[in-house]
Amino acid sequence: MESTPVAPTVEELKADIGQEVTLLMEWILTCQSLTFFAFETQLIPRVFALGRLFVQLFLCIRQEQFRTMHPQPQPGYKRIDGRVRWLGTFFGKIRYWRTYFYRKGGGYHPLDIELGLTSDGFSMWIQSLAARIATKMSYAQAVVVLTMFLRWSPTQDSIETMVLGLGRHTGAWFEAAPAPEGDGEVLVIQIDSKATPTATEEELEKRRGPRRENPHPGSQRHRGRAARQRRGPKKRRKKGDKAKNGKMATIVTMYTLKQSVDGTLEGPINKKVYASYAPKRHAVAIARREADKRGFGQGSGKLIQIVTDGDNDLERYIEEYFPEAEHTIDVFHVTEYLWEAGQCLYKEGSDELVEWVEAQKELLYDGRAAEIVTEIDKRLAQLDPSKQSARKRLQKVREYINKRVDKMNYKELREQDLEISSGAVEGAVNYVIAKRFDSGGMRWIKERAEHLLQLRCIEVNGDWDAFIEFVHDRTREQAKQQRKNLSLKRTKPVPLPTYGLT
């Protein structure tokens, strides 16, 4: 029926569906000799074809309903009925017909707006599915996976534009998203950063501009050889040069702990993550906004604990936005500093090194971090003056611990059953950022990666369906107000978020 050049009627589509169902039943009755694998393999395309007919029937019913309810166009507009369109759906591409209202300067398809269909040529479900898969794997792999299951897929470029389009709504979503229900009495916020590889200006210059004609369209090895000849030899990196050209993304993990009957704190409850390539101050400001939303505003009397690795910038912003919070330094991060200090004093791998570090760890866990500083001062005084490198490293450890002694009362924290490590955010760094953004050969542009990163956070938070509904309703309402068929897809990203920066 899809090849019919004129719009089918509801009755014609119903007849086609009845005929297809009958043919499908008759085919099943002839499958006695098939294996289940062969049967399922042949059944799937038939079911998808039937699904396309059902979608066509739905759209045809809605178009006839629209024509009945709106026999006249909007004032100032003229009307054309029966304008055809192809639409990519879960079941494949289908063709349908609808009314067009137009006037000088442009027009719109009111049925598409009423149904929440954008002008992109894909259903919201397909755009949602493609973007969601892209949060977990590369755009090229997303095409492969979609084709495996749907037997068709939007192109790689289309999926990227879907990600950029949906990504424009993430800021509004995070701001409008309701606070989770059933929170505990203690809010834990953990913050960390991760550098991901970004493209250099030299690499970006190669991407820009029109592509040269491919002299060997049928041979991948010759295409690569021709490209290498055009680029010329690569410059050899000097000692200390970084190939990664890493740019920092900051990630915030938030959850609550609930008081149990035996007095311990159970959790985590309602764990959420947020990440951005914007400056660290932005991430802390978002954490403040979310804490207020969850009922942990300043003056609430509720306990907020923040765990970091001792980053100086984060410490400044935490003092500004969370003056009432319990700021804790990750104990394992401090332990790494103890090992570095010990290696300045003893041979690596020696029993003396292990014994010294274990003695300092006992002081650390016993809430006596100040005594570690005293021990390092003693060792600095005894250290051979000629060992300048070891002295500098040991002094660095001493300054790190001394500056943060008040944030290392691990004995008291354990007695209160609070957190002393940042395991939750360390896991989020690996799962949310590293797995998707730090693989071999990747080179990101921060603004483009930002959209994908925030979509990945929404997916990890378990809020994807609510987010897509939010975008769908928001876009549909905008289209209604503007009387314009809007596009969700975008080719250019928006600038990095500025919340908390101005």
Side-chain angles (χ1 to χ4, degrees):
M1 195 65 204
E2 291 180 2
S3 61
T4 305
V6 295
T9 65
V10 170
E11 294 304 318
E12 288 173 337
L13 285 170
K14 287 166 63 177
D16 287 344
I17 291 172
Q19 182 180 0
E20 288 297 323
V21 171
T22 300
L23 291 173
L24 182 58
M25 290 288 292
E26 291 176 352
W27 172 77
I28 292 174
L29 294 175
T30 65
C31 295
Q32 296 92 336
S33 60
L34 294 181
T35 64
F36 187 81
F37 173 73
F39 169 73
E40 188 175 27
T41 301
Q42 296 177 44
L43 176 64
I44 290 172
R46 288 175 165 85
V47 171
F48 271 55
L50 194 57
R52 291 194 293 272
L53 282 174
F54 281 125
V55 172
Q56 275 193 307
L57 176 61
F58 168 78
L59 292 171
C60 187
I61 291 173
R62 293 301 299 268
Q63 168 61 13
E64 291 194 5
Q65 182 186 44
F66 175 83
R67 292 181 62 182
T68 301
M69 296 179 64
H70 302 86
Q72 299 298 327
Q74 292 285 345
Y77 285 85
K78 295 182 180 180
R79 174 188 189 127
I80 298 177
D81 284 320
R83 289 194 66 167
V84 68
R85 184 195 192 195
W86 287 94
L87 179 68
T89 73
F90 183 88
F91 302 99
K93 292 195 173 184
I94 61 99
R95 184 162 58 178
Y96 71 104
W97 289 257
R98 75 271 201 244
T99 297
Y100 181 62
F101 288 167
Y102 70 97
R103 64 181 179 184
K104 187 177 181 180
Y108 67 102
H109 297 91
L111 179 63
D112 291 351
I113 293 176
E114 182 63 29
L115 295 176
L117 292 172
T118 62
S119 61
D120 303 303
F122 300 98
S123 69
M124 181 60 82
W125 180 264
I126 283 294
Q127 297 193 69
S128 166
L129 184 61
R132 190 172 192 175
I133 293 174
T135 66
K136 298 178 178 297
M137 60 188 69
S138 71
Y139 296 123
Q141 289 173 324
V143 171
V144 173
V145 170
L146 282 168
T147 304
M148 286 172 57
F149 287 93
L150 303 184
R151 302 195 168 208
W152 78 282
S153 171
T155 65
Q156 183 174 327
D157 288 341
S158 287
I159 294 177
E160 185 174 4
T161 58
M162 292 172 188
V163 166
L164 294 178
L166 286 170
R168 298 168 75 94
H169 297 269
T170 55
W173 160 258
F174 281 115
E175 184 175 2
E181 298 179 356
D183 260 342
E185 296 84 14
V186 177
L187 177 65
V188 178
I189 303 173
Q190 300 186 11
I191 310 175
D192 202 356
S193 298
K194 167 70 176 175
T196 60
T198 55
T200 63
E201 281 300 318
E202 184 180 0
E203 290 169 328
L204 291 175
E205 192 62 34
K206 293 176 182 177
R207 297 185 193 179
R208 296 179 180 128
R211 294 187 177 182
R212 298 188 183 185
E213 184 178 354
N214 185 354
H216 301 282
S219 174
Q220 184 175 352
R221 59 190 293 268
H222 287 94
R223 289 200 306 271
R225 188 179 302 169
R228 288 190 294 275
Q229 289 174 350
R230 286 198 308 270
R231 290 195 301 262
K234 288 185 178 181
K235 292 182 179 179
R236 184 175 179 84
R237 290 198 303 272
K238 298 177 183 178
K239 186 176 181 180
D241 288 349
K242 303 292 185 182
K244 186 173 182 177
N245 190 35
K247 301 299 179 184
M248 285 291 185
T250 305
I251 185 166
V252 179
T253 300
M254 303 180 68
Y255 57 89
T256 59
L257 302 174
K258 193 170 186 177
Q259 196 84 33
S260 65
V261 178
D262 62 1
T264 58
L265 293 172
E266 295 180 345
I269 300 169
N270 295 326
K271 184 162 69 174
K272 301 289 184 180
V273 297
Y274 177 87
S276 175
Y277 285 92
K280 296 172 186 176
R281 183 188 180 96
H282 166 74
V284 179
I286 290 291
R288 176 77 269 178
R289 186 182 72 189
E290 294 303 307
D292 294 345
K293 189 188 296 184
R294 295 174 75 154
F296 289 83
Q298 295 188 39
S300 66
K302 295 182 177 181
L303 176 60
I304 300 176
Q305 184 190 21
I306 302 180
V307 186
T308 70
D309 61 4
D311 180 275
N312 289 322
D313 293 331
L314 288 178
E315 185 173 350
R316 250 189 352 264
Y317 303 141
I318 289 168
E319 288 177 359
E320 177 184 351
Y321 283 101
F322 292 91
E324 79 287 9
E326 175 80 37
H327 187 182
T328 303
I329 305 301
D330 169 40
V331 68
F332 295 111
H333 200 79
V334 181
T335 302
E336 289 300 315
Y337 272 89
L338 293 179
W339 280 103
E340 183 176 348
Q343 289 166 2
C344 297
L345 305 172
Y346 301 101
K347 185 178 180 181
E348 187 173 355
S350 65
D351 293 338
E352 293 88 352
L353 170 60
V354 175
E355 183 180 345
W356 187 86
V357 172
E358 289 301 322
Q360 308 316 306
K361 285 171 64 176
E362 285 185 17
L363 294 174
L364 189 66
Y365 282 98
D366 200 34
R368 297 152 62 191
E371 296 183 29
I372 300 176
V373 178
T374 303
E375 167 67 10
I376 294 177
D377 285 338
K378 175 183 171 183
R379 295 290 183 157
L380 278 168
Q382 299 172 349
L383 197 62
D384 187 343
S386 64
K387 296 183 177 180
Q388 289 297 320
S389 176
R391 178 175 291 275
K392 288 181 180 179
R393 290 165 57 200
L394 196 56
Q395 185 66 35
K396 176 184 175 183
V397 175
R398 190 259 182 208
E399 291 174 358
Y400 176 86
I401 297 176
N402 185 59
K403 183 181 178 181
R404 300 166 178 83
V405 165
D406 60 328
K407 300 176 179 63
M408 300 180 185
N409 195 355
Y410 300 118
K411 180 181 180 181
E412 183 178 329
L413 291 170
R414 290 200 292 181
E415 289 172 353
Q416 298 176 38
D417 200 23
L418 292 172
E419 301 286 16
I420 63 172
S421 68
S422 57
V425 76
E426 294 286 347
V429 163
N430 290 325
Y431 182 71
V432 178
I433 301 179
K435 276 196 172 182
R436 181 61 182 92
F437 296 88
D438 198 10
S439 297
M442 288 185 173
R443 288 294 183 271
W444 297 94
I445 299 172
K446 283 196 304 182
E447 290 76 10
R448 300 180 81 86
E450 175 79 5
H451 294 304
L452 186 62
L453 176 59
Q454 297 210 336
L455 289 174
R456 186 163 171 84
C457 289
I458 291 171
E459 209 285 325
V460 169
N461 288 338
D463 294 331
W464 188 267
D465 291 338
F467 167 71
I468 292 299
E469 187 174 348
F470 170 82
V471 175
H472 174 272
D473 294 347
R474 191 173 189 233
T475 306
R476 180 170 176 260
E477 187 59 34
Q478 290 173 351
K480 281 185 173 182
Q481 292 175 1
Q482 299 176 27
R483 288 185 182 176
K484 183 179 180 181
N485 298 103
L486 300 179
S487 171
L488 182 64
K489 298 195 298 181
R490 292 291 187 274
T491 57
K492 295 182 179 180
V494 297
L496 295 176
T498 58
Y499 181 83
L501 304 181
T502 57

